[in-house]
Amino acid sequence: RQEVVLVGRSNVGKSTLMRELTGHSKFTTGKKPGVTRQPNHFDWAGDDFMFTDLPGFGFMSGVEEDRREEIKTDIVQYIEGNADDILAGVLVVDGKSVVDIIDRHSGPDEIPHDVEMFHFLRELGIPVVVAVNKMDKVDDRDERLNDLCDRLGLMPPWKQWSDVVAPISAKRGNLDALEEALRTHFHEQKRDDL
Ligand code: GDP
């Protein structure tokens, strides 16, 4: 059974996106920050794979640093252990704040979580789509997306990377870019299998 994993920092809108993708309106989102969450599995209408919602990583108010590290280790182990069955990884980020957060956490001995996760997935050979969420709040769209590409090591302009960078608004149900990007990767893999 193949799966698409969703990863992202807390509060980027991962639960909202998951709900929109799967149409499961009633699934509980583990709303309390830091509450241990097992991977959640959901079917995508009509297709023979599932979405796996992994716990949010990074800063969560009221959650100890040690616990945050444990959560990240769990995520990494889940992905490594299931890499062969993972069709794609969706890294969900908040379009409004992601570049600032990356810049704040970039340094000689610090790699921002989002950048680390992006490269981690790619190194395992898992195609990554960065779902840049909350685009309804972003005014300077092209500039923001170009900056994000730059931080991820993708040469701008972002429009060249439409299979990797997918600007969306989960809350408004505007997911076209993500669905299209995912479709490209599925088709590529099917071709590879022939
Ligand atoms: P999670 O912690 O990543 O699962 O985030 P949630 O899905 O709980 O969303 C966190 C907050 O962001 C909530 O207040 C959502 O309503 C809001 N949110 C989610 N998606 C969007 C979006 O596309 N646009 C805007 N403006 N807010 C969003």
Side-chain angles (χ1 to χ4, degrees):
R1 193 89 157 85
Q2 293 204 298
E3 58 184 302
V4 173
V5 295
L6 270 82
V7 292
R9 301 174 71 95
S10 300
N11 213 40
V12 293
K14 204 152 60 66
S15 322
T16 309
L17 173 59
M18 191 61 140
R19 240 171 356 239
E20 285 293 326
L21 283 169
T22 62
H24 285 251
S25 55
K26 64 175 175 16
F27 96 88
T28 52
T29 58
K31 265 290 73 157
K32 256 195 267 162
V35 169
T36 315
R37 283 194 287 159
Q38 296 299 317
N40 274 311
H41 301 287
F42 298 97
D43 296 320
W44 199 14
D47 278 292
D48 51 354
F49 68 89
M50 62 192 176
F51 282 106
T52 303
D53 184 23
L54 293 170
F57 55 79
F59 177 78
M60 289 160 264
S61 59
V63 181
E64 300 286 331
E65 174 67 27
D66 287 1
R67 182 70 197 109
R68 297 208 295 264
E69 281 304 313
E70 267 173 42
I71 292 171
K72 207 163 122 187
T73 306
D74 288 350
I75 295 170
V76 164
Q77 284 178 351
Y78 182 89
I79 294 171
E80 280 174 347
N82 295 279
D84 288 347
D85 298 322
I86 298 177
L87 276 168
V90 177
L91 172 63
V92 189
V93 300
D94 179 336
K96 181 97 186 165
S97 60
V98 62
V99 173
D100 292 338
I101 293 175
I102 289 176
D103 288 349
R104 210 180 310 143
H105 292 280
S106 297
D109 29 47
E110 200 182 6
I111 301 173
H113 290 309
D114 290 316
V115 176
E116 188 180 23
M117 199 53 78
F118 180 75
H119 293 300
F120 167 71
L121 288 162
R122 285 172 50 122
E123 274 156 27
L124 286 173
I126 298 171
V128 189
V129 178
V130 183
V132 192
N133 193 27
K134 309 197 187 183
M135 287 305 289
D136 55 289
K137 293 205 293 185
V138 174
D139 301 324
D140 47 351
R141 185 185 167 89
D142 287 338
E143 198 183 326
R144 232 20 113 82
L145 294 168
N146 286 339
D147 284 349
L148 177 60
C149 279
D150 172 72
R151 303 311 188 269
L152 295 173
L154 308 170
M155 178 92 81
W158 73 272
K159 284 194 176 139
Q160 290 190 107
W161 298 99
S162 61
D163 56 337
V164 183
V165 174
I168 60 167
S169 173
K171 201 168 162 179
R172 300 217 174 147
N174 184 354
L175 309 180
D176 295 354
L178 174 60
E179 292 180 352
E180 220 148 276
L182 284 173
R183 251 176 229 123
T184 359
H185 293 297
F186 298 163
H187 291 153
E188 261 163 33
Q189 300 215 340
K190 285 200 181 113
R191 265 208 308 278
D192 290 348
D193 289 344
L194 292 176

